[in-house]
Amino acid sequence: MNKQGKLIIFSAPSGAGKTTIVHHILKKFPNIQFSVSATTRTLRGDEVNGKDYYFVSKEEFLHKVAKHEFIEFEEVYSGTFYGTLKNELARIWNDDKHVIFDLDVEGGLRLKKKYGEHAIAIFVQPPSLEVLISRLRGRGTDTEEKLKERISKAEKELSYADKFDVIVHNDDLELACEAAEKLVEEFLNK
Ligand code: ADP
Ligand code: 5GP
């Protein structure tokens, strides 16, 4: 890996609005690219393999772990793995772009620790757990069982907010996108 751009990390519990905000940032900044993670979960909604995630079998994922292909990986939900590929970062940086991540709170903090001042770790804060639950239900992409798993993990994840560089409050989506945009602009100009 020769070149190194900056790292913009978005973390939060599932349903807080990370994906929506990250998509907004990608539209506004042509010099930022999304780090496509590998995952063992199945495709949901209108997701595209290779664009939203690299959807792989558990066997394939564990093979990549054994070959040290990940910068970080996590069993985010029981039996479901997610990980950031070294190749993905190298590809984006070699293309002279900065990289944006959508990671769970543990993975987000781990990357921040690894890359220090080259990275900004942003926590997306929903107005409350109740609102988070209603957004997750409204998204309509998870079975009741999956929803329960996401909700029970969310309670713990919300307590991680203070460990991040900065918090973006996502009550009003437009305001949250504006705030995120400003933070990213300032960070890239530093
Ligand atoms: P995450 O990536 O953190 O899991 P998403 O971006 O998928 O979250 O958002 C979860 C759901 O909540 C989506 O259906 C999204 O359209 C909706 N949503 C996001 N932000 C807001 C907001 N500020 N107000 C209302 N709905 C929102
Ligand atoms: P989802 O299934 O909703 O797309 O993602 C579930 C959780 O996994 C989210 O919190 C998301 O940010 C996180 N996630 C996605 N990719 C990665 C990754 O590569 N590493 C880690 N640690 N978490 C990830």
Side-chain angles (χ1 to χ4, degrees):
M1 208 180 288
N2 306 320
K3 297 181 178 172
Q4 185 175 336
K6 292 188 175 180
L7 302 91
I8 299 143
I9 303 161
F10 277 87
S11 292
S14 185
K18 294 181 298 290
T19 309
T20 313
I21 293 172
V22 166
H23 283 169
H24 172 81
I25 298 288
L26 284 166
K27 261 194 249 152
K28 292 279 171 178
F29 296 87
N31 57 343
I32 299 177
Q33 268 190 35
F34 181 59
S35 165
V36 180
S37 294
T39 182
T40 62
R41 87 150 157 75
T42 48
L43 236 109
R44 118 186 136 200
D46 54 4
E47 287 178 333
V48 177
N49 187 21
K51 180 168 173 271
D52 299 287
Y53 283 106
Y54 298 111
F55 294 94
V56 299
S57 66
K58 200 178 283 182
E59 193 186 21
E60 211 178 318
F61 194 100
L62 294 177
H63 190 57
K64 286 180 184 300
V65 172
K67 287 197 294 172
H68 306 285
E69 290 185 21
F70 290 108
I71 300 169
E72 64 79 38
F73 72 94
E74 193 82 39
E75 185 175 359
V76 177
Y77 302 108
S78 168
T80 309
F81 294 84
Y82 297 78
T84 305
L85 294 156
K86 290 179 185 167
N87 260 348
E88 188 69 6
L89 206 56
R91 178 183 67 74
I92 295 171
W93 280 345
N94 280 329
D95 208 16
D96 278 331
K97 307 272 175 159
H98 303 293
V99 59
I100 193 165
F101 302 86
D102 175 338
L103 303 177
D104 85 316
V105 292
E106 309 263 3
L109 290 174
R110 201 172 308 135
L111 274 199
K112 168 66 190 177
K113 198 167 171 203
K114 186 173 165 91
Y115 289 97
E117 293 306 304
H118 291 289
I120 183 168
I122 302 171
F123 187 89
V124 180
Q125 176 101 60
S128 64
L129 184 62
E130 289 67 33
V131 171
L132 181 84
I133 294 170
S134 103
R135 282 183 193 167
L136 267 177
R137 286 196 192 284
R139 190 168 69 185
T141 51
D142 299 285
T143 60
E144 194 54 36
E145 192 194 340
K146 295 272 176 214
L147 268 176
K148 281 199 182 121
E149 195 178 20
R150 282 170 187 263
I151 292 163
S152 75
K153 192 171 162 86
E155 294 190 69
K156 182 176 170 218
E157 289 173 318
L158 283 171
S159 69
Y160 278 62
D162 290 343
K163 300 184 195 294
F164 281 75
D165 292 326
V166 63
I167 298 174
V168 164
H169 293 273
N170 183 16
D171 305 9
D172 178 290
L173 183 58
E174 208 172 308
L175 292 180
C177 285
E178 268 174 32
E181 206 180 311
K182 195 157 170 265
L183 282 170
V184 170
E185 195 162 358
E186 281 169 7
F187 173 65
L188 292 184
N189 287 334
K190 250 201 315 201

PDB file of all heavy atoms in Angstrom, residues 15-29:
ATOM      1  N   GLY A  15     -29.928   1.072  12.322  1.00  0.00           N
ATOM      2  CA  GLY A  15     -31.170   1.840  12.274  1.00  0.00           C
ATOM      3  C   GLY A  15     -30.994   3.304  12.618  1.00  0.00           C
ATOM      4  O   GLY A  15     -31.922   4.111  12.498  1.00  0.00           O
ATOM      5  N   ALA A  16     -29.770   3.711  13.026  1.00  0.00           N
ATOM      6  CA  ALA A  16     -29.552   5.112  13.433  1.00  0.00           C
ATOM      7  C   ALA A  16     -29.507   6.062  12.235  1.00  0.00           C
ATOM      8  O   ALA A  16     -29.717   7.261  12.371  1.00  0.00           O
ATOM      9  CB  ALA A  16     -28.253   5.224  14.230  1.00  0.00           C
ATOM     10  N   GLY A  17     -29.201   5.507  11.052  1.00  0.00           N
ATOM     11  CA  GLY A  17     -29.176   6.348   9.854  1.00  0.00           C
ATOM     12  C   GLY A  17     -27.816   6.469   9.190  1.00  0.00           C
ATOM     13  O   GLY A  17     -27.626   7.300   8.306  1.00  0.00           O
ATOM     14  N   LYS A  18     -26.862   5.616   9.573  1.00  0.00           N
ATOM     15  CA  LYS A  18     -25.509   5.676   9.001  1.00  0.00           C
ATOM     16  C   LYS A  18     -25.521   5.558   7.483  1.00  0.00           C
ATOM     17  O   LYS A  18     -24.930   6.380   6.798  1.00  0.00           O
ATOM     18  CB  LYS A  18     -24.643   4.497   9.475  1.00  0.00           C
ATOM     19  CG  LYS A  18     -24.297   4.446  10.909  1.00  0.00           C
ATOM     20  CD  LYS A  18     -23.409   3.235  11.188  1.00  0.00           C
ATOM     21  CE  LYS A  18     -24.044   1.897  10.891  1.00  0.00           C
ATOM     22  NZ  LYS A  18     -25.102   1.440  11.738  1.00  0.00           N
ATOM     23  N   THR A  19     -26.190   4.519   6.990  1.00  0.00           N
ATOM     24  CA  THR A  19     -26.155   4.266   5.544  1.00  0.00           C
ATOM     25  C   THR A  19     -26.705   5.456   4.778  1.00  0.00           C
ATOM     26  O   THR A  19     -26.129   5.892   3.778  1.00  0.00           O
ATOM     27  CB  THR A  19     -26.974   2.989   5.225  1.00  0.00           C
ATOM     28  OG1 THR A  19     -26.517   1.954   6.084  1.00  0.00           O
ATOM     29  CG2 THR A  19     -26.804   2.571   3.783  1.00  0.00           C
ATOM     30  N   THR A  20     -27.799   6.018   5.278  1.00  0.00           N
ATOM     31  CA  THR A  20     -28.436   7.160   4.602  1.00  0.00           C
ATOM     32  C   THR A  20     -27.477   8.350   4.580  1.00  0.00           C
ATOM     33  O   THR A  20     -27.315   9.009   3.548  1.00  0.00           O
ATOM     34  CB  THR A  20     -29.739   7.535   5.353  1.00  0.00           C
ATOM     35  OG1 THR A  20     -30.487   6.347   5.605  1.00  0.00           O
ATOM     36  CG2 THR A  20     -30.576   8.506   4.560  1.00  0.00           C
ATOM     37  N   ILE A  21     -26.819   8.610   5.696  1.00  0.00           N
ATOM     38  CA  ILE A  21     -25.901   9.760   5.786  1.00  0.00           C
ATOM     39  C   ILE A  21     -24.651   9.508   4.928  1.00  0.00           C
ATOM     40  O   ILE A  21     -24.189  10.404   4.220  1.00  0.00           O
ATOM     41  CB  ILE A  21     -25.550  10.058   7.263  1.00  0.00           C
ATOM     42  CG1 ILE A  21     -26.810  10.542   7.993  1.00  0.00           C
ATOM     43  CG2 ILE A  21     -24.442  11.107   7.363  1.00  0.00           C
ATOM     44  CD1 ILE A  21     -26.668  10.695   9.501  1.00  0.00           C
ATOM     45  N   VAL A  22     -24.133   8.300   4.971  1.00  0.00           N
ATOM     46  CA  VAL A  22     -22.941   7.972   4.162  1.00  0.00           C
ATOM     47  C   VAL A  22     -23.255   8.148   2.672  1.00  0.00           C
ATOM     48  O   VAL A  22     -22.450   8.703   1.916  1.00  0.00           O
ATOM     49  CB  VAL A  22     -22.447   6.536   4.482  1.00  0.00           C
ATOM     50  CG1 VAL A  22     -21.457   6.044   3.434  1.00  0.00           C
ATOM     51  CG2 VAL A  22     -21.807   6.494   5.871  1.00  0.00           C
ATOM     52  N   HIS A  23     -24.438   7.730   2.240  1.00  0.00           N
ATOM     53  CA  HIS A  23     -24.823   7.912   0.826  1.00  0.00           C
ATOM     54  C   HIS A  23     -24.863   9.396   0.470  1.00  0.00           C
ATOM     55  O   HIS A  23     -24.447   9.798  -0.613  1.00  0.00           O
ATOM     56  CB  HIS A  23     -26.181   7.258   0.537  1.00  0.00           C
ATOM     57  CG  HIS A  23     -26.088   5.764   0.419  1.00  0.00           C
ATOM     58  ND1 HIS A  23     -27.179   4.941   0.378  1.00  0.00           N
ATOM     59  CD2 HIS A  23     -25.007   4.951   0.356  1.00  0.00           C
ATOM     60  CE1 HIS A  23     -26.781   3.684   0.278  1.00  0.00           C
ATOM     61  NE2 HIS A  23     -25.466   3.667   0.272  1.00  0.00           N
ATOM     62  N   HIS A  24     -25.345  10.215   1.400  1.00  0.00           N
ATOM     63  CA  HIS A  24     -25.386  11.671   1.165  1.00  0.00           C
ATOM     64  C   HIS A  24     -23.962  12.219   0.985  1.00  0.00           C
ATOM     65  O   HIS A  24     -23.691  12.983   0.052  1.00  0.00           O
ATOM     66  CB  HIS A  24     -26.096  12.360   2.337  1.00  0.00           C
ATOM     67  CG  HIS A  24     -26.023  13.850   2.278  1.00  0.00           C
ATOM     68  ND1 HIS A  24     -26.870  14.601   1.476  1.00  0.00           N
ATOM     69  CD2 HIS A  24     -25.171  14.727   2.867  1.00  0.00           C
ATOM     70  CE1 HIS A  24     -26.540  15.886   1.595  1.00  0.00           C
ATOM     71  NE2 HIS A  24     -25.527  15.992   2.436  1.00  0.00           N
ATOM     72  N   ILE A  25     -23.066  11.809   1.865  1.00  0.00           N
ATOM     73  CA  ILE A  25     -21.673  12.287   1.790  1.00  0.00           C
ATOM     74  C   ILE A  25     -21.040  11.868   0.456  1.00  0.00           C
ATOM     75  O   ILE A  25     -20.356  12.650  -0.208  1.00  0.00           O
ATOM     76  CB  ILE A  25     -20.826  11.719   2.974  1.00  0.00           C
ATOM     77  CG1 ILE A  25     -21.380  12.185   4.320  1.00  0.00           C
ATOM     78  CG2 ILE A  25     -19.349  12.051   2.829  1.00  0.00           C
ATOM     79  CD1 ILE A  25     -21.165  13.639   4.642  1.00  0.00           C
ATOM     80  N   LEU A  26     -21.315  10.636   0.047  1.00  0.00           N
ATOM     81  CA  LEU A  26     -20.717  10.142  -1.207  1.00  0.00           C
ATOM     82  C   LEU A  26     -21.198  10.951  -2.413  1.00  0.00           C
ATOM     83  O   LEU A  26     -20.455  11.172  -3.364  1.00  0.00           O
ATOM     84  CB  LEU A  26     -21.052   8.655  -1.388  1.00  0.00           C
ATOM     85  CG  LEU A  26     -20.234   7.713  -0.505  1.00  0.00           C
ATOM     86  CD1 LEU A  26     -20.851   6.320  -0.483  1.00  0.00           C
ATOM     87  CD2 LEU A  26     -18.782   7.638  -0.977  1.00  0.00           C
ATOM     88  N   LYS A  27     -22.450  11.416  -2.341  1.00  0.00           N
ATOM     89  CA  LYS A  27     -22.982  12.232  -3.450  1.00  0.00           C
ATOM     90  C   LYS A  27     -22.298  13.599  -3.484  1.00  0.00           C
ATOM     91  O   LYS A  27     -22.090  14.183  -4.528  1.00  0.00           O
ATOM     92  CB  LYS A  27     -24.498  12.425  -3.265  1.00  0.00           C
ATOM     93  CG  LYS A  27     -25.313  11.459  -4.125  1.00  0.00           C
ATOM     94  CD  LYS A  27     -26.752  11.880  -4.187  1.00  0.00           C
ATOM     95  CE  LYS A  27     -27.578  10.859  -3.419  1.00  0.00           C
ATOM     96  NZ  LYS A  27     -28.803  11.387  -2.837  1.00  0.00           N
ATOM     97  N   LYS A  28     -21.972  14.128  -2.298  1.00  0.00           N
ATOM     98  CA  LYS A  28     -21.405  15.483  -2.201  1.00  0.00           C
ATOM     99  C   LYS A  28     -19.904  15.547  -2.462  1.00  0.00           C
ATOM    100  O   LYS A  28     -19.387  16.592  -2.826  1.00  0.00           O
ATOM    101  CB  LYS A  28     -21.666  16.053  -0.789  1.00  0.00           C
ATOM    102  CG  LYS A  28     -23.118  16.334  -0.512  1.00  0.00           C
ATOM    103  CD  LYS A  28     -23.508  17.659  -1.116  1.00  0.00           C
ATOM    104  CE  LYS A  28     -25.007  17.865  -1.049  1.00  0.00           C
ATOM    105  NZ  LYS A  28     -25.425  19.146  -1.571  1.00  0.00           N
ATOM    106  N   PHE A  29     -19.194  14.455  -2.169  1.00  0.00           N
ATOM    107  CA  PHE A  29     -17.726  14.496  -2.264  1.00  0.00           C
ATOM    108  C   PHE A  29     -17.223  13.450  -3.264  1.00  0.00           C
ATOM    109  O   PHE A  29     -17.065  12.275  -2.904  1.00  0.00           O
ATOM    110  CB  PHE A  29     -17.085  14.220  -0.892  1.00  0.00           C
ATOM    111  CG  PHE A  29     -17.381  15.245   0.159  1.00  0.00           C
ATOM    112  CD1 PHE A  29     -18.519  15.154   0.948  1.00  0.00           C
ATOM    113  CD2 PHE A  29     -16.507  16.312   0.381  1.00  0.00           C
ATOM    114  CE1 PHE A  29     -18.807  16.095   1.938  1.00  0.00           C
ATOM    115  CE2 PHE A  29     -16.779  17.253   1.367  1.00  0.00           C
ATOM    116  CZ  PHE A  29     -17.927  17.150   2.148  1.00  0.00           C
TER     117      PHE A  29
END
